């Protein structure tokens, strides 16, 4: 099971968790969870006017062996309006647009989508229960 918890944070409400949303999916091959502005295609939806987040920005996909991967989906703009970083196991590293990275099996961490143009971010915590 992969559990996701998302909060959209602006400078005005830093530290607030009132807008927290969650999603989960079983660790079954082909299971998918997406994060973005498009409510029709994403399980976790950011504010519609936060254009630094693509309609479908992040995708969590379960592989044949029950492990999960994170992909920063390529948006329609040639230069992304955000930066994405992953923190897990005490380490943090940036992701490139289009990059896919494995999530730690049985681990937890956070993905932060940071607006390059202002003090806003989308913080997605994850926990992979085995």
């Amino acid at each position: 099971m992969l559990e996701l918890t998302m909060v959209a944070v602006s400078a005005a409400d830093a530290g607030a968790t009132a807008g927290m949303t969650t999603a989960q999916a079983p660790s079954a091959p082909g299971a998918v969870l997406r994060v973005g502005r498009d409510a029709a295609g994403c399980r976790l939806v950011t504010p519609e006017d936060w254009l630094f987040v693509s309609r479908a920005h992040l995708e969590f996909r379960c592989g044949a062996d029950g492990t999960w991967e994170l992909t920063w989906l390529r948006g329609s703009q040639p230069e992304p309006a955000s930066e994405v970083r992953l923190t897990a196991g005490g380490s943090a590293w940036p992701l490139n647009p289009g990059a896919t990275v494995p999530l730690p099996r049985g681990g937890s961490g956070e993905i932060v989508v940071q607006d390059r143009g202002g003090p806003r971010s989308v913080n997605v915590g994850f926990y992979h229960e085995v």
Side-chain angles (χ1 to χ4, degrees), residues 40-95:
C42 298
R43 291 277 300 279
L44 293 175
V45 182
T46 65
E48 193 172 297
D49 62 342
W50 283 27
L51 301 180
F52 70 95
V53 177
S54 301
R55 287 180 187 89
H57 201 88
L58 302 174
E59 180 178 87
F60 297 83
R61 180 175 296 275
C62 188
D65 61 354
T67 59
W68 286 85
E69 293 182 332
L70 165 67
T71 301
W72 179 1
L73 300 170
R74 303 233 7 127
S76 60
Q77 301 300 316
E79 184 65 28
S82 63
E83 297 175 354
V84 176
R85 72 181 174 277
L86 169 66
T87 303
S91 298
W93 57 96
L95 271 71

Side-chain angles (χ1 to χ4, degrees), residues 109-124:
E110 181 179 48
I111 298 95
V112 177
V113 180
Q114 181 69 50
D115 184 358
R116 286 185 172 165
R120 300 180 296 181
S121 68
V122 175
N123 300 25
V124 180

